[in-house]
Every structure is written in C-alpha cells, then in structure tokens.
Amino acid sequence: MFQKIIAFLLFSIFCLQGAVAQVPEYHFSPQVQKAKDQMQLTLNTLFQMEQEDKNAKVDPALKKLMLKNDEKQITRYVDQQKKLFVQHMNDQIQHGDATATVALLEFALFFNDDELQEKIDLAPLQQLSDQNDAYASYLLAQQFKLTKDYIPLLEKAGQQGSVAAQMTLADEYGFRLPVEQQDAKKAAFWANKAKQNLGEAAYTEQKCALANCDLEEFEMVDFSKQPQP
C-alpha cells in the first residue's frame, strides 16, 4: 500500500513540475500558503527518497522515519499531516478566508478524497468563480466532472484564462467526450487558445502534464507553487 502511495505521489509531482513552469502563481492568504508549504515539504520529502538530493529541504521528522524504513510510522505521520492541513483550512474558512476553500478542494481532489469533497461548502469558490477567478472555476469543473455542469464550468475557466481548462477542453472535444458530443472545431479553438497563452513549444511540452496524462486523477495541485489558470 505504501509503495502505491509513493508511486502516485512521484508521478503527480513529476507532472506538476512541468505544468507550473509557464504560468504565474495563484495567490493564497499568507496563513493558507504557510500550511500548503508545510504539506508540500512533506510530499517533497517522500519524493526525495528516490532522488537522494542531500541539499534539498526536507521535513526532518518524516526524514527520520524514512531512515528507519518504518512504513507504518511513515504512513501514520503523513496521515497526521494531512489531518492537520484539513483542520487548519477549515479554521481559516471559518474566519472567512476564501482561499482556504480553494486550497481544501484542491487537496481533496489531489488525494481523491470523496468524503472530504462532499463536506466542502462550495459557496466561497462559486463566488470567486463569478469574480473571474479562473482557478476557482477550474476546480469547480473538476468537482463536478461527472455531471452536466462539467463542460460549462470548464469552458468558463477557459474563457477566464485557465490554460489547464483550455488544454483539457481540447482533449474533451477532440476525443474524450462521447462521439456525439465531440467537436473538432471546438477542440481546435481551445487548443489554439492554450497555444496563444503558452507558445507552441511549451504547449507541446506541457500537454501531458496539464491534460492529466489521460488519467482520471486530478494532477494539477502543487502546494508550493500554485498555477493561476
């Protein structure tokens, strides 16, 4: 089980590093960003177990457990860090911090936590979306991926400038949607939008990372450098 967790995180972080290279960061409140940085440090420490980069920053408590090679304690520690993150985000939400809702939903999507997704009040995210926040719109689209609202929300995010949404729409209309809903003109339209934002070379390079590599998992989360779609 632990090896599966590591494999998923390694693949996710690999995709994310390419995805964020050409887009500006999303602006979270200082309190939320601090918690995200700590969570990212934990994930990066897991990632670095394969790279053996001695100069990289690590979570010292987790690194100590990793040196002991105690999978149960490692899993327990990561789970504890995840719970602390969720608790902190909920506290910030109670204080009216809308960016905490953004961070909490991306966290739930990243870890495929259906139970957490169902508990999140999406009203602050919807308000941000209506205020032309492209990333909020993109997250809402991911939240409603299996509903009729998915494509309209994805198009809203794309019109607001989300490169991730634009690239995903190109694939949705190109081959992912049922045949009767596919549209070559719309696929080309959204692909061109993304190319205008990224440039032809960067578009080709980042197509896999930003389009989820044809997987069902949400791959757009980077707790340390958040893209602004």
Side-chain angles (χ1 to χ4, degrees), residues 147-156 169 172-173 177:
T147 74
K148 61 181 177 58
D149 296 319
Y150 172 58
I151 293 298
L153 282 169
L154 205 57
E155 289 187 329
K156 181 179 181 180
L169 283 163
E172 293 289 356
Y173 281 120
L177 288 171

Side-chain angles (χ1 to χ4, degrees), residues 12-13 15-28 33 36 40 102-103 106 110 133-139 157 160-165 167 198 206 209-210 212 218-229:
S12 300
I13 295 172
C15 283
L16 293 171
Q17 288 175 334
V20 301
Q22 302 292 329
V23 290
E25 296 179 26
Y26 188 83
H27 298 292
F28 292 90
Q33 188 61 58
K36 284 165 58 65
Q40 188 65 47
V102 175
E106 67 176 15
F110 181 69
D133 187 320
Y135 189 50
S137 299
Y138 179 76
L139 286 178
Q160 291 172 336
S162 168
V163 175
M167 295 184 75
L198 287 175
Q206 296 188 25
L210 289 174
N212 295 341
F218 181 74
E219 299 288 355
M220 279 301 298
V221 179
D222 185 330
F223 290 91
S224 60
K225 290 184 64 178
Q226 193 53 240
Q228 181 178 9

Side-chain angles (χ1 to χ4, degrees), residues 138-209:
Y138 179 76
L139 286 178
L140 282 172
Q142 297 301 319
Q143 174 73 345
F144 293 103
K145 191 168 185 178
L146 300 179
T147 74
K148 61 181 177 58
D149 296 319
Y150 172 58
I151 293 298
L153 282 169
L154 205 57
E155 289 187 329
K156 181 179 181 180
Q159 292 290 1
Q160 291 172 336
S162 168
V163 175
Q166 292 163 358
M167 295 184 75
T168 304
L169 283 163
D171 286 347
E172 293 289 356
Y173 281 120
F175 61 87
R176 285 184 180 154
L177 288 171
V179 176
E180 63 274 12
Q181 297 178 38
Q182 292 177 19
D183 189 315
K185 289 184 178 180
K186 289 184 178 180
F189 171 81
W190 288 113
N192 287 330
K193 280 277 190 181
K195 290 175 184 177
Q196 289 170 12
N197 285 321
L198 287 175
E200 190 79 34
Y203 174 86
T204 301
E205 180 181 352
Q206 296 188 25
K207 183 174 173 56
C208 173

